[in-house]
Amino acid sequence: MVEEMQKIMRLLLFFSLVLLGACSNESTGVEKSDGKIMVTTTIGQIADGVKNIGGDKVEVISLMGPGTDPHLYKATQGDIEKLEKADIIFYNGLHLEGKVLDVLKKINDKKPTYAIGEVISEGSLLEDTEDSSAVDPHIWFDISLWQQALEKVRDGLIEIDPDNEEYYSKNADDYFSELDRLKEYAEEEMAKIPSEQRVLVTAHDAFGYFGAAYNMEVMGLQGLSTESEYGLGDVQELVDLLVERNIKAVFIESSISERSINAVIEGAKQKGHEVTIGGELFSDAMGEEGTEEGTYIGMYRHNVKTITDSLQ
Ligand SMILES: [Zn+2]
């Protein structure tokens, strides 16, 4: 009796091993045990787009959380593991994630890795005003360009999971309709700012596309990347401009220290010109997960509201 039981147990074990083997052979390396596609992204804006387009078919991990500056960000050992585990990777490119590029390039040979900003035609990209060989990577502030970039997310998911093509296409269409509504809202609101107040002063030049879209002049204390430190000359130049143009509000950014903008406010004060902080904008990083600002649409609306509230 005991012997028979043992025999049955051994048989059961044998069959379960065979079954396990069959399952993992069946997997193309794309689907994980829970059936979801593992997606790793760099910035939260991309992660949010992937969540909207991939829906319940994807598990998304973003390497850079709230308050993280992508220009300075270096990949940790944990990040490399997250990239290794991914089935597919999306990043912005256009040199936004300058210090993670080497890691991304290495992984590029092993699995589908897409720089979604690099699908945008050169003619639509803004040039770096200080270095004509570089382009402005902050494309998510132009809603139409961002939609083009997210089409690459949709296409990448379809390529890796063609069975669900219809699902991804439908989700993308729904999300793009929401983006159209966001664009209408932003255009309507931004148009309310009087012409003499249409100057947006921030810690770094993240808002070039935003300015171009809504006819705002944009000035940042630091250049397109936060890699270069701002100098005393930059502070002085911006102070002079605030005084000269009678600009009353400047904006801090959630991913950049307030120190630089405070130096400008202090400098203006010494010249007898009162400048206030118009509020905090989300530029390169989004808000906390679970909050309105933790989504692309929410952060965009927050920025529009913050800017229009203080410049009207
Ligand atoms: Zn930036």
Side-chain angles (χ1 to χ4, degrees):
M1 188 67 185
V2 173
E3 220 172 302
E4 224 163 308
M5 278 292 283
Q6 276 177 339
K7 220 187 247 173
I8 292 170
M9 289 297 279
R10 266 202 300 274
L11 264 174
L12 273 174
L13 189 69
F14 173 70
F15 279 119
S16 52
L17 282 174
V18 166
L19 268 174
L20 260 176
C23 284
S24 60
N25 277 342
E26 217 174 24
S27 143
T28 54
V30 171
E31 304 234 339
K32 291 294 182 243
S33 54
D34 62 353
K36 292 196 180 189
I37 294 172
M38 302 288 288
V39 186
T40 301
T41 73
T42 51
I43 54 172
Q45 290 88 326
I46 302 176
D48 189 51
V50 177
K51 281 179 199 164
N52 276 284
I53 296 168
D56 57 13
K57 310 273 184 239
V58 298
E59 181 83 47
V60 190
I61 295 173
S62 162
L63 298 185
M64 304 174 193
T68 305
D69 179 347
H71 304 285
L72 302 179
Y73 191 82
K74 290 190 187 117
T76 63
Q77 191 51 43
D79 291 340
I80 292 169
E81 279 161 27
K82 284 171 195 157
L83 291 166
E84 296 278 0
K85 265 195 221 158
D87 297 311
I88 185 166
I89 294 162
F90 296 108
Y91 67 104
N92 190 77
L94 306 172
H95 224 81
L96 176 76
E97 306 96 332
K99 296 190 185 326
V100 193
L101 272 186
D102 285 345
V103 178
L104 288 167
K105 279 194 177 131
K106 257 181 230 158
I107 225 134
N108 189 20
D109 303 330
K110 297 187 201 163
K111 58 187 77 189
T113 304
Y114 299 105
I116 64 168
E118 290 173 11
V119 304
I120 289 163
S121 68
E122 236 171 273
S124 306
L125 295 170
L126 293 178
E127 233 174 55
D128 183 338
T129 45
E130 279 155 29
D131 171 10
S132 61
S133 69
V135 292
D136 184 341
H138 305 89
I139 49 164
W140 53 91
F141 281 126
D142 181 314
I143 299 171
S144 304
L145 290 187
W146 192 234
Q147 181 171 323
Q148 283 177 37
L150 291 180
E151 284 169 5
K152 191 75 209 167
V153 168
R154 177 197 62 201
D155 296 347
L157 290 175
I158 291 173
E159 211 165 301
I160 201 175
D161 183 20
D163 290 350
N164 287 309
E165 175 171 0
E166 236 172 88
Y167 178 79
Y168 298 128
S169 297
K170 162 98 176 49
N171 284 352
D173 288 347
D174 290 348
Y175 189 54
F176 295 162
S177 303
E178 275 183 68
L179 294 186
D180 287 343
R181 282 198 290 278
L182 175 67
K183 201 175 157 193
E184 272 167 37
Y185 161 81
E187 279 166 358
E188 254 168 50
E189 288 302 305
M190 293 298 292
K192 294 177 186 163
I193 300 173
S195 56
E196 70 277 10
Q197 290 296 319
R198 304 189 78 83
V199 186
L200 183 61
V201 182
T202 59
H204 92 299
D205 275 340
F207 291 88
Y209 293 99
F210 190 89
Y214 311 109
N215 193 23
M216 292 277 292
E217 209 176 322
V218 175
M219 283 161 209
L221 186 50
Q222 277 169 286
L224 283 180
S225 169
T226 50
E227 267 182 79
S228 56
E229 275 283 303
Y230 63 94
L232 217 57
D234 301 320
V235 173
Q236 208 44 57
E237 215 175 292
L238 203 51
V239 165
D240 289 345
L241 206 123
L242 292 177
V243 176
E244 221 171 88
R245 305 271 300 264
N246 195 24
I247 295 164
K248 295 191 166 61
V250 294
F251 297 87
I252 53 174
E253 296 171 45
S254 71
S255 51
I256 296 182
S257 153
E258 280 180 42
R259 203 163 43 102
S260 58
I261 274 297
N262 282 335
V264 172
I265 293 173
E266 194 48 46
K269 201 174 176 187
Q270 279 170 15
K271 291 199 161 187
H273 179 64
E274 200 68 43
V275 179
T276 58
I277 291 182
E280 182 186 61
L281 303 180
F282 294 100
S283 53
D284 293 5
M286 305 204 299
E288 293 293 333
E289 189 152 353
T291 67
E292 184 86 15
E293 292 78 16
T295 67
Y296 169 78
I297 290 176
M299 83 162 225
Y300 208 103
R301 290 180 69 98
H302 165 94
N303 286 349
V304 168
K305 189 168 186 325
T306 305
I307 293 166
T308 49
D309 279 354
S310 50
L311 294 183
Q312 267 190 70

